[in-house]
Short mmCIF file of all heavy atoms in Angstrom, two decimals:
data_model
loop_
_atom_site.label_atom_id
_atom_site.label_comp_id
_atom_site.label_asym_id
_atom_site.label_seq_id
_atom_site.Cartn_x
_atom_site.Cartn_y
_atom_site.Cartn_z
N GLU A 7 -1.71 -83.11 65.21
CA GLU A 7 -1.55 -82.32 63.99
C GLU A 7 -0.44 -81.30 64.16
O GLU A 7 -0.40 -80.55 65.13
CB GLU A 7 -2.85 -81.59 63.67
CG GLU A 7 -2.75 -80.72 62.46
CD GLU A 7 -4.04 -80.03 62.10
OE1 GLU A 7 -5.08 -80.33 62.67
OE2 GLU A 7 -3.99 -79.16 61.22
N PRO A 8 0.50 -81.26 63.22
CA PRO A 8 1.54 -80.24 63.26
C PRO A 8 0.94 -78.86 62.98
O PRO A 8 -0.03 -78.75 62.24
CB PRO A 8 2.48 -80.63 62.12
CG PRO A 8 1.94 -81.85 61.51
CD PRO A 8 0.62 -82.16 62.12
N LEU A 9 1.49 -77.87 63.60
CA LEU A 9 0.94 -76.53 63.46
C LEU A 9 1.59 -75.77 62.31
O LEU A 9 2.77 -75.90 62.07
CB LEU A 9 1.13 -75.75 64.76
CG LEU A 9 0.46 -76.37 65.98
CD1 LEU A 9 0.80 -75.57 67.22
CD2 LEU A 9 -1.05 -76.45 65.78
N ASN A 10 0.79 -75.02 61.63
CA ASN A 10 1.14 -74.05 60.58
C ASN A 10 2.25 -74.45 59.61
O ASN A 10 2.99 -73.61 59.13
CB ASN A 10 1.44 -72.67 61.18
CG ASN A 10 2.56 -72.66 62.19
OD1 ASN A 10 3.35 -73.57 62.25
ND2 ASN A 10 2.60 -71.61 62.97
N LEU A 11 2.39 -75.72 59.30
CA LEU A 11 3.33 -76.14 58.28
C LEU A 11 2.64 -76.55 57.00
O LEU A 11 3.30 -76.82 56.01
CB LEU A 11 4.17 -77.33 58.77
CG LEU A 11 5.18 -77.07 59.85
CD1 LEU A 11 5.86 -78.37 60.26
CD2 LEU A 11 6.22 -76.07 59.40
N HIS A 12 1.34 -76.62 57.02
CA HIS A 12 0.61 -77.20 55.91
C HIS A 12 -0.42 -76.26 55.32
O HIS A 12 -1.00 -75.45 56.02
CB HIS A 12 -0.09 -78.49 56.35
CG HIS A 12 0.89 -79.54 56.74
ND1 HIS A 12 1.56 -80.30 55.83
CD2 HIS A 12 1.33 -79.92 57.95
CE1 HIS A 12 2.38 -81.11 56.46
NE2 HIS A 12 2.26 -80.90 57.75
N ALA A 13 -0.64 -76.45 54.05
CA ALA A 13 -1.70 -75.72 53.36
C ALA A 13 -3.04 -76.09 53.99
O ALA A 13 -3.21 -77.21 54.48
CB ALA A 13 -1.69 -76.07 51.88
N PRO A 14 -3.99 -75.19 53.99
CA PRO A 14 -5.30 -75.48 54.58
C PRO A 14 -5.96 -76.75 54.04
O PRO A 14 -6.61 -77.47 54.80
CB PRO A 14 -6.13 -74.24 54.23
CG PRO A 14 -5.12 -73.14 54.13
CD PRO A 14 -3.89 -73.80 53.54
N LEU A 15 -5.79 -77.06 52.75
CA LEU A 15 -6.42 -78.27 52.22
C LEU A 15 -5.79 -79.54 52.77
O LEU A 15 -6.45 -80.57 52.91
CB LEU A 15 -6.39 -78.28 50.69
CG LEU A 15 -7.38 -77.34 50.01
CD1 LEU A 15 -7.17 -77.35 48.50
CD2 LEU A 15 -8.81 -77.71 50.35
N VAL A 16 -4.51 -79.49 53.11
CA VAL A 16 -3.86 -80.64 53.73
C VAL A 16 -4.37 -80.79 55.16
O VAL A 16 -4.73 -81.89 55.60
CB VAL A 16 -2.33 -80.50 53.70
CG1 VAL A 16 -1.66 -81.63 54.47
CG2 VAL A 16 -1.83 -80.48 52.25
N GLN A 17 -4.44 -79.70 55.90
CA GLN A 17 -4.97 -79.73 57.26
C GLN A 17 -6.42 -80.21 57.26
O GLN A 17 -6.84 -80.95 58.16
CB GLN A 17 -4.87 -78.35 57.90
CG GLN A 17 -3.45 -77.92 58.14
CD GLN A 17 -3.36 -76.52 58.69
OE1 GLN A 17 -4.34 -75.94 59.15
NE2 GLN A 17 -2.16 -75.96 58.67
N ARG A 18 -7.18 -79.82 56.25
CA ARG A 18 -8.58 -80.20 56.13
C ARG A 18 -8.75 -81.72 56.01
O ARG A 18 -9.74 -82.28 56.47
CB ARG A 18 -9.18 -79.50 54.92
CG ARG A 18 -10.62 -79.78 54.68
CD ARG A 18 -11.10 -78.96 53.47
NE ARG A 18 -12.12 -79.72 52.80
CZ ARG A 18 -12.18 -79.98 51.53
NH1 ARG A 18 -11.26 -79.50 50.71
NH2 ARG A 18 -13.14 -80.69 51.02
N LEU A 19 -7.80 -82.40 55.38
CA LEU A 19 -7.88 -83.86 55.26
C LEU A 19 -8.00 -84.51 56.63
O LEU A 19 -8.78 -85.43 56.83
CB LEU A 19 -6.67 -84.41 54.52
CG LEU A 19 -6.66 -84.22 53.02
CD1 LEU A 19 -5.30 -84.61 52.44
CD2 LEU A 19 -7.76 -85.05 52.38
N ALA A 20 -7.21 -84.04 57.59
CA ALA A 20 -7.27 -84.59 58.94
C ALA A 20 -8.50 -84.07 59.69
O ALA A 20 -9.23 -84.84 60.31
CB ALA A 20 -6.00 -84.25 59.71
N ARG A 21 -8.75 -82.81 59.60
CA ARG A 21 -9.83 -82.19 60.36
C ARG A 21 -11.21 -82.65 59.89
O ARG A 21 -12.06 -83.00 60.71
CB ARG A 21 -9.71 -80.67 60.26
CG ARG A 21 -10.72 -79.92 61.12
CD ARG A 21 -10.65 -78.41 60.90
NE ARG A 21 -11.05 -78.10 59.52
CZ ARG A 21 -10.27 -77.48 58.63
NH1 ARG A 21 -9.05 -77.11 58.96
NH2 ARG A 21 -10.69 -77.22 57.42
N ASP A 22 -11.44 -82.67 58.57
CA ASP A 22 -12.79 -82.92 58.06
C ASP A 22 -12.98 -84.30 57.44
O ASP A 22 -14.12 -84.72 57.26
CB ASP A 22 -13.15 -81.87 57.00
CG ASP A 22 -13.18 -80.45 57.57
OD1 ASP A 22 -13.23 -80.29 58.80
OD2 ASP A 22 -13.14 -79.51 56.77
N PHE A 23 -11.90 -84.98 57.10
CA PHE A 23 -12.05 -86.25 56.38
C PHE A 23 -11.38 -87.43 57.09
O PHE A 23 -11.22 -88.50 56.50
CB PHE A 23 -11.52 -86.12 54.94
CG PHE A 23 -12.35 -85.16 54.13
CD1 PHE A 23 -11.93 -83.85 53.95
CD2 PHE A 23 -13.56 -85.56 53.58
CE1 PHE A 23 -12.71 -82.96 53.22
CE2 PHE A 23 -14.34 -84.67 52.86
CZ PHE A 23 -13.91 -83.37 52.68
N GLY A 24 -10.97 -87.23 58.33
CA GLY A 24 -10.49 -88.34 59.13
C GLY A 24 -9.11 -88.86 58.82
O GLY A 24 -8.74 -89.94 59.27
N ALA A 25 -8.31 -88.11 58.07
CA ALA A 25 -6.94 -88.54 57.80
C ALA A 25 -6.14 -88.54 59.10
O ALA A 25 -6.36 -87.72 59.98
CB ALA A 25 -6.27 -87.64 56.77
N THR A 26 -5.22 -89.47 59.19
CA THR A 26 -4.36 -89.63 60.36
C THR A 26 -3.01 -88.98 60.08
O THR A 26 -2.45 -89.16 59.01
CB THR A 26 -4.14 -91.13 60.64
OG1 THR A 26 -5.41 -91.74 60.83
CG2 THR A 26 -3.29 -91.34 61.86
N TRP A 27 -2.48 -88.23 61.06
CA TRP A 27 -1.13 -87.70 60.94
C TRP A 27 -0.16 -88.80 61.33
O TRP A 27 -0.28 -89.38 62.41
CB TRP A 27 -0.93 -86.49 61.85
CG TRP A 27 -1.66 -85.27 61.40
CD1 TRP A 27 -2.83 -84.79 61.89
CD2 TRP A 27 -1.27 -84.38 60.36
NE1 TRP A 27 -3.21 -83.66 61.22
CE2 TRP A 27 -2.27 -83.37 60.27
CE3 TRP A 27 -0.18 -84.32 59.49
CZ2 TRP A 27 -2.19 -82.33 59.35
CZ3 TRP A 27 -0.12 -83.27 58.57
CH2 TRP A 27 -1.11 -82.29 58.51
N ILE A 28 0.78 -89.12 60.45
CA ILE A 28 1.78 -90.16 60.72
C ILE A 28 3.16 -89.62 60.36
O ILE A 28 3.29 -88.61 59.68
CB ILE A 28 1.49 -91.46 59.93
CG1 ILE A 28 1.53 -91.21 58.43
CG2 ILE A 28 0.18 -92.09 60.38
CD1 ILE A 28 1.46 -92.48 57.60
N ASP A 29 4.19 -90.34 60.81
CA ASP A 29 5.56 -89.98 60.44
C ASP A 29 6.35 -91.27 60.26
O ASP A 29 5.76 -92.36 60.23
CB ASP A 29 6.20 -89.05 61.48
CG ASP A 29 6.28 -89.67 62.87
OD1 ASP A 29 6.20 -90.92 63.00
OD2 ASP A 29 6.46 -88.91 63.83
N GLU A 30 7.67 -91.16 60.13
CA GLU A 30 8.48 -92.34 59.85
C GLU A 30 8.46 -93.36 60.99
O GLU A 30 8.74 -94.53 60.79
CB GLU A 30 9.92 -91.94 59.50
CG GLU A 30 10.76 -91.45 60.67
CD GLU A 30 10.52 -90.00 61.07
OE1 GLU A 30 9.61 -89.34 60.51
OE2 GLU A 30 11.24 -89.51 61.95
N THR A 31 8.09 -92.93 62.19
CA THR A 31 8.04 -93.86 63.31
C THR A 31 6.69 -94.56 63.43
O THR A 31 6.59 -95.59 64.09
CB THR A 31 8.34 -93.16 64.65
OG1 THR A 31 7.31 -92.20 64.92
CG2 THR A 31 9.70 -92.49 64.62
#
């Protein structure tokens, strides 16, 4: 998870709802 670039609700998607952080690679 990237640090402090995202609104809390975006961070919450990964933390509480299992969203995966991905990028162009």
Side-chain angles (χ1 to χ4, degrees):
E7 178 178 351
L9 300 176
N10 58 17
L11 290 177
H12 295 281
L15 285 175
V16 174
Q17 293 177 14
R18 181 178 148 229
L19 284 170
R21 185 185 64 240
D22 298 344
F23 295 98
T26 302
W27 289 101
I28 61 171
D29 61 19
E30 72 280 5
T31 65

